[in-house]
Amino acid sequence: MREYLLTLCVTAAVTYLLTGPVRKFAIAAGAMPPVRARDVHREPTPRLGGIAMFGGLCAGLLVASQLTNIGKLFTLSDEPRALLSGAGLIWLIGVLDDKWGVDALVKLGGQMIAAGVMVLQGLTILWLPVPGVGNVALTPFQGTLLTVALVVITINAVNFVDGLDGLASGMVCIASVAFFMYAYRIWYGYGIEAAAPATLFAAVLMGMCLGFLPHNMHPARIFMGDSGSMLIGLVLAAGAVSITGQVDPDLMVEHTGSVKSAVHTMVPLYMPLLLPLSIIAIPVADLVMAIVRRTWNGRSPFAADRGHLHHRLLEVGHSHSRAVLIMYFWAALIAFGAVAFSVRSSSLAIVLTIVLLSAVGLVVLLMPRYTPRVPGWAQQVLPPRYRRGGREAADAEAAPESAAEGAGERAAPREAEREPAMAGLHGATAIGERRQFTREKKINTPE
């Protein structure tokens, strides 16, 4: 565990320290696209945050290769090299898209190529666990097709959810924490060394997100862009593919006694596939809804709009920060609920806890104007914006500004419509004044 913590801290520190210089570089390079109609920020913000995240990834893998226990992975397995190869390719495509823009079909082709590169180096799904049937071996073609599909879906799901400050990095960080707990339990709990690469990938992914998140929280100073969102999506998918394709479910059967008990008690046979899907359940749901919505309206599935889940939360009345926290809550509930269910699938307490928390989440979701009151003893440990006096002062200060901005936005079209008329009115007034002056001059002038 200490080596994983060291790898996580190094990755987070490098990502955090690189983000500042990368921001200056993005501004100098002109990677600050203008604000679009579907954006929620008001000022142009530099992108290319994925450069810092990729630097953190490389630093984390480099440190891990020099450690005593984790370093053995780099000699016994090609999966870390496969991850680095695919990540480098997808990161390069993202950088080009952040700076100059890349067609959606070209990006999709690049994602498939990056997944294929990882498959060629051994990072692939070798068997598919089926409940009630057992372990089903896949042909090379089937394994390649399933691996590429899982990687591409995960990348685009993370890319689609990257619409608010700190949303994608926070949700992926929550997913990586849950995945790390699951993979670490399989390795050290059951002694299955094949789960070590997935555990390493989850630790590195946590460091990448934690190091970038302080710069990306609202109001964000820099965006990760496609170079970051596609990168963390690929790393998350690589961990899922690794633990699914390399961990032999038969070893889990030896620990649990039978295939039936392994499936229904420990859920090891199909949990490696269900857990990644549950972790990205919200981004995948957003992806599916976006494709259906755009296709139904006769638009391209790749045409961006303001119909994503986070946009709907803002339209309901939630603030930017609260919308992000709500998405965090549901991502954590699903991810950690799946991990808890994989440990104790027959526990009624886990099911009741998930149901209770879901009810609480629905109440908060349907009450956008509700402001919870923080107890007095907790006032000192909270940021100023969440303290009772600070919150009221901030709301009072922001109210006139927002009202003025709203009035200005509403008045702007009207002023634009009135401008020609007002110009004509001023012109007529000037002509009338000149005529009145001429008449008075004639009257006062002696003949």
Side-chain angles (χ1 to χ4, degrees):
M1 177 62 75
R2 289 179 297 180
E3 293 186 352
Y4 284 117
L5 290 178
L6 177 60
T7 303
L8 188 155
C9 292
V10 170
T11 305
V14 172
T15 303
Y16 178 81
L17 295 176
L18 284 180
T19 304
V22 167
R23 180 179 182 272
K24 296 181 180 179
F25 169 76
I27 295 175
M32 295 178 60
V35 179
R36 299 162 295 186
R38 62 186 177 92
D39 291 333
V40 297
H41 57 281
R42 299 182 179 181
E43 298 180 357
T45 306
R47 299 182 185 270
L48 294 177
I51 296 179
M53 305 181 81
F54 184 73
L57 171 65
C58 295
L61 293 178
L62 179 61
V63 170
S65 65
Q66 305 301 318
L67 299 178
T68 304
N69 297 321
I70 303 180
K72 298 178 182 178
L73 297 177
F74 294 83
T75 57
L76 300 177
S77 175
D78 292 331
E79 293 186 24
R81 298 183 184 87
L83 171 66
L84 190 58
S85 301
L89 181 58
I90 203 70
W91 171 77
L92 180 60
I93 296 174
V95 169
L96 296 177
D97 181 66
D98 290 340
K99 180 60 178 73
W100 292 285
V102 178
D103 185 73
L105 294 178
V106 176
K107 287 194 294 184
L108 180 62
Q111 296 167 6
M112 299 175 66
I113 294 174
V117 168
M118 293 193 300
V119 169
L120 292 177
Q121 300 187 54
L123 189 57
T124 182
I125 299 176
L126 301 178
W127 41 66
L128 185 64
V130 179
V133 177
N135 189 25
V136 178
L138 300 178
T139 64
F141 176 76
Q142 293 174 342
T144 301
L145 187 63
L146 184 59
T147 302
V148 172
L150 181 60
V151 172
V152 171
I153 290 174
T154 307
I155 290 175
N156 286 280
V158 175
N159 192 19
F160 270 51
V161 82
D162 184 24
L164 296 179
D165 298 349
L167 181 58
S169 53
M171 291 185 66
V172 173
C173 183
I174 293 172
S176 59
V177 172
F179 198 83
F180 176 83
M181 295 170 58
Y182 176 75
Y184 187 83
R185 176 174 175 267
I186 291 181
W187 185 12
Y188 284 96
Y190 294 95
I192 301 178
E193 296 183 359
T199 312
L200 174 62
F201 297 165
V204 172
L205 184 57
M206 276 192 287
M208 295 166 60
C209 296
L210 290 175
F212 184 74
L213 197 56
H215 299 273
N216 193 231
M217 292 299 292
H218 181 71
R221 300 179 65 250
I222 185 173
F223 294 151
M224 67 173 67
D226 283 0
S227 59
S229 61
M230 294 196 300
L231 176 62
I232 60 178
L234 182 135
V235 177
L236 181 62
V241 171
S242 175
I243 203 168
T244 304
Q246 304 300 325
V247 175
D248 189 357
D250 294 335
L251 297 177
M252 301 298 300
V253 174
E254 296 179 0
H255 290 280
T256 55
S258 65
V259 175
K260 182 178 180 180
S261 60
V263 173
H264 296 287
T265 304
M266 294 306 301
V267 206
L269 288 180
Y270 58 93
M271 203 61 203
L273 278 180
L274 294 183
L275 182 62
L277 294 179
S278 63
I279 284 174
I280 61 173
I282 295 179
V284 169
D286 193 15
L287 172 65
V288 174
M289 291 172 57
I291 293 176
V292 173
R293 179 179 65 253
R294 296 166 185 174
T295 306
W296 182 266
N297 294 330
R299 303 175 58 191
S300 171
F302 302 101
D305 57 14
R306 289 182 59 90
H308 294 287
L309 294 177
H310 47 271
H311 290 140
R312 295 182 183 274
L313 289 175
L314 296 178
E315 292 176 357
V316 168
H318 293 285
S319 64
H320 190 291
S321 300
R322 180 174 296 195
V324 172
L325 292 177
I326 289 176
M327 298 287 284
Y328 284 177
F329 171 81
W330 286 106
L333 179 61
I334 297 175
F336 291 106
V339 173
F341 187 77
S342 69
V343 178
R344 298 287 297 275
S345 59
S346 59
S347 176
L348 182 61
I350 295 177
V351 177
L352 294 178
T353 302
I354 294 176
V355 172
L356 178 61
L357 292 177
S358 299
V360 174
L362 289 176
V363 171
V364 176
L365 181 65
L366 298 176
M367 298 178 64
R369 301 298 180 184
Y370 172 70
T371 303
R373 293 187 177 275
V374 181
W377 58 268
Q379 292 287 331
Q380 301 299 326
V381 297
L382 292 176
R385 69 170 66 180
Y386 297 109
R387 298 175 187 172
R388 186 171 303 174
R391 184 63 177 268
E392 295 175 354
D395 293 342
E397 182 180 356
E401 297 180 358
S402 59
E405 291 175 357
E409 293 176 356
R410 292 190 300 268
R414 298 179 181 177
E415 292 296 334
E417 294 176 358
R418 293 178 181 178
E419 184 175 356
M422 293 299 296
L425 179 61
H426 290 316
T429 304
I431 294 174
E433 291 177 353
R434 287 196 300 268
R435 291 177 178 176
Q436 180 68 21
F437 175 78
T438 303
R439 286 196 297 268
E440 293 176 355
K441 184 177 181 180
K442 290 181 179 179
I443 294 173
N444 297 329
T445 301
E447 296 181 358

